[in-house]
Amino acid sequence: MKKTNIDFEKELNKLNVRGIEINYYFICKTKLFLFMNNMGLEKNHENVELGKLLHETSYRSNKDKEVIINKIAIDFIKKNKKEDFIEIHEVKKSDKMELADYYQILYYIYYLKKLGIESKGVINYPNQNKKKEITLNDENIKNLIPVIQEIEKIRNSNLIIPPKKKKYCKKCAYYEFCFS
Ligand code: SF4
């Protein structure tokens, strides 16, 4: 694993966005706003429980490798022995939110790079027997930066983002809040 001489603490302080916030940004900005304002309704929601169960029962041998670094929680990591980098893995229950999953793991790769650690990402969809590999490049960094900036703007705003009905709203933990 390549490491450079970086002031970890300084870099960590600059990286304030959580992986789940990147994911929610692409799913629904109202959900992101509510989550960032500690509504926390999804804690015991059925879909979250399903996700946890999937995580716990898939890839059992790697379960102990869950890595939490400040704001990010990576499902598991593997060392690529042939090449000098680590693989970071996320486990998702379906590819319906592929764009959100893609940016979440892209952010993890970016986050680690900021700490001087080179990595590649893999999104695992065990229910569909599918994997997607992700690497960081100039182009996707250029797309990621405005997302991070926009999330910070939403964090610093007091104005709730009005909900707009989407096909997956009924499965969202905030449904009652938005539409009752
Ligand atoms: S119910 Fe729909 S609009 Fe409301 S937070 Fe959830 S996804 Fe967003």
Side-chain angles (χ1 to χ4, degrees), residues 122-142:
V122 182
I123 312 175
N124 301 275
Y125 298 102
N127 288 345
Q128 289 152 293
N129 209 12
K130 179 176 160 183
K131 281 183 182 185
K132 186 172 179 179
E133 294 190 3
I134 291 129
T135 50
L136 197 67
N137 57 44
D138 290 348
E139 191 60 32
N140 55 29
I141 291 177
K142 221 189 283 170

Side-chain angles (χ1 to χ4, degrees), residues 143-170:
N143 296 332
L144 178 65
I145 302 287
V147 171
I148 296 169
Q149 289 168 340
E150 187 65 25
I151 290 172
E152 287 299 3
K153 265 195 217 158
I154 294 171
R155 192 191 311 287
N156 295 324
S157 164
N158 293 324
L159 296 173
I160 186 165
I161 299 168
K164 280 188 206 146
K165 218 165 207 170
K166 303 162 192 66
K167 60 181 181 208
Y168 45 82
C169 281
K170 282 203 169 155

